Amino acid sequence: KNEVEQSPQNLTAQEGEFITINCSYSVGISALHWLQQHPGGGIVSLFMLSSGKKKHGRLIATINIQEKHSSLHITASHPRDSAVYICAVYVGLQGAQKLVFGQGTRLTINP
Amino acid sequence: NAGVTQTPKFRVLKTGQSMTLLCAQDMNHEYMYWYRQDPGMGLRLIHYSVGEGTTAKGEVPDGYNVSRLKKQNFLLGLESAAPSQTSVYFCASSRLLMLQFFGPGTRLTVL
């Protein structure tokens, strides 16, 4: 079983819909990352959070440390949001933390 | 600022050949990482560095060596390339437990 599990693996929606991508992890973590990988392959870090909620534009990330679960929400989705969204967790001892990645969720937003 | 750059962007090797991938960052980050990304496997950590002159093994280090002689550069070497090392390689950098910034990737094919 992977240490980081994402669901769904694939998601197709219509423009304007509210999107939720889930991430569950089974290890103790220092922080959690959400990343976006564009169709061209480039990877952009969206959020890093260790508690509560963060918001950037139409993107909202939440984390529940007790339940070992995080969600990424996209409001008013747009075709340009089509990408692979990757959850990753920082694990390890202080000074040697490393990211462990989920498999990614492929999101397609149709106009 | 260029952020994180990688050279080369593409490379084709024959089995047994050697090569070095160069990663450079201009953000004065302490931490640097080399990942590989394979279909269906997600991103996996090869080696990482917590500072100039230090390196450590990640999840899949076999067949690779690294060096960090200068803070801004992190080199990944393949001494004797194998077809199993065909992959897309990403470099990233960060401060301690902060967002990681990724390079554009190097697509390597080993025939």
Side-chain angles (χ1 to χ4, degrees), chain B residues 78-108:
Chain B
L78 286 72
E79 289 186 348
S80 179
S84 60
Q85 294 177 304
T86 293
S87 187
V88 181
Y89 292 84
F90 287 97
C91 175
S93 73
S94 74
R95 299 195 192 283
L96 175 61
L97 283 183
M98 299 297 284
L99 280 177
Q100 291 195 12
F101 291 81
F102 285 77
T106 295
R107 188 172 296 273
L108 175 66

Side-chain angles (χ1 to χ4, degrees), chain B residues 13 17-21 34-38 44-48 55-67 74-90 106 108-110:
Chain B
L13 291 178
Q17 287 185 318
S18 63
M19 78 162 294
T20 300
L21 282 67
W34 275 108
Y35 298 100
R36 59 178 289 173
Q37 186 177 40
D38 303 293
R44 293 181 293 170
L45 181 65
I46 305 171
H47 286 280
Y48 65 103
T55 63
K57 294 180 180 179
E59 184 184 352
V60 288
D62 293 343
Y64 305 95
N65 56 75
V66 288
S67 64
F74 195 28
L75 279 63
L76 178 71
L78 286 72
E79 289 186 348
S80 179
S84 60
Q85 294 177 304
T86 293
S87 187
V88 181
Y89 292 84
F90 287 97
T106 295
L108 175 66
T109 302
V110 183

Side-chain angles (χ1 to χ4, degrees), chain A residues 10 15 18 38 51 53-54 67 71 76 86 104-105:
Chain A
N10 294 282
E15 183 173 357
F18 181 81
H38 300 290
S51 64
K53 178 165 84 172
K54 285 192 176 179
E67 294 185 5
S71 293
I86 303 168
T105 294

